[in-house]
Amino acid sequence: MARIAGVDLPKDKRTEIALTRIYGIGPTTAKKLCALAGIPDDSRVKNLTEEQVNKLRHGIEESYKVEGMLRSEISMNIKRLLEIGSYRGLRPPSRTACQRTEN
């Protein structure tokens, strides 16, 4: 089982689909990463070599913010919007409905 960015990828899924389990990587990014690492479209995670897994890991670490770093950046952006009183800051579900509208 491959472990990339702190996430265990399911071994029976296609590599492109399995990479979308990582927070911050969608289908388009997964296809780009597979092309970068030279992985065929129909390969499964269980068939990846250690070299291919290392190429994927290096490509993700080098080019993308994923998992913890991305989550913390998003929460910091929401906190900033809340502090400045922006309408966009009021809309995220981080605040309850009673805090938003007081009748």
Side-chain angles (χ1 to χ4, degrees), residues 64-80:
Y64 300 100
K65 288 184 183 177
V66 292
E67 288 296 325
M69 288 179 60
L70 181 61
R71 289 179 199 267
S72 64
E73 182 179 333
I74 290 172
S75 68
M76 293 295 287
N77 289 340
I78 292 172
K79 286 179 186 177
R80 179 182 52 82

Side-chain angles (χ1 to χ4, degrees), residues 23-90:
Y23 184 78
I25 295 181
T28 305
T29 307
K31 286 183 183 184
K32 288 178 186 176
L33 286 168
C34 286
L36 178 73
I39 299 171
D41 293 339
D42 59 345
S43 70
R44 305 274 173 176
V45 173
K46 64 183 175 184
N47 298 333
L48 292 178
T49 64
E50 194 63 35
E51 181 182 335
Q52 290 172 328
V53 173
N54 286 335
K55 283 183 182 179
L56 283 173
R57 189 175 294 128
H58 181 69
I60 290 172
E61 290 174 357
E62 182 180 288
S63 305
Y64 300 100
K65 288 184 183 177
V66 292
E67 288 296 325
M69 288 179 60
L70 181 61
R71 289 179 199 267
S72 64
E73 182 179 333
I74 290 172
S75 68
M76 293 295 287
N77 289 340
I78 292 172
K79 286 179 186 177
R80 179 182 52 82
L81 290 170
L82 284 169
E83 287 175 4
I84 64 174
S86 168
Y87 176 70
R88 285 184 6 187
L90 296 176

Side-chain angles (χ1 to χ4, degrees), residues 4-23:
I4 299 175
V7 177
D8 289 329
L9 300 180
K11 62 182 178 179
D12 292 329
K13 291 192 180 261
R14 286 186 18 222
T15 307
E16 290 178 4
I17 303 303
L19 284 174
T20 61
R21 289 284 184 104
I22 300 172
Y23 184 78

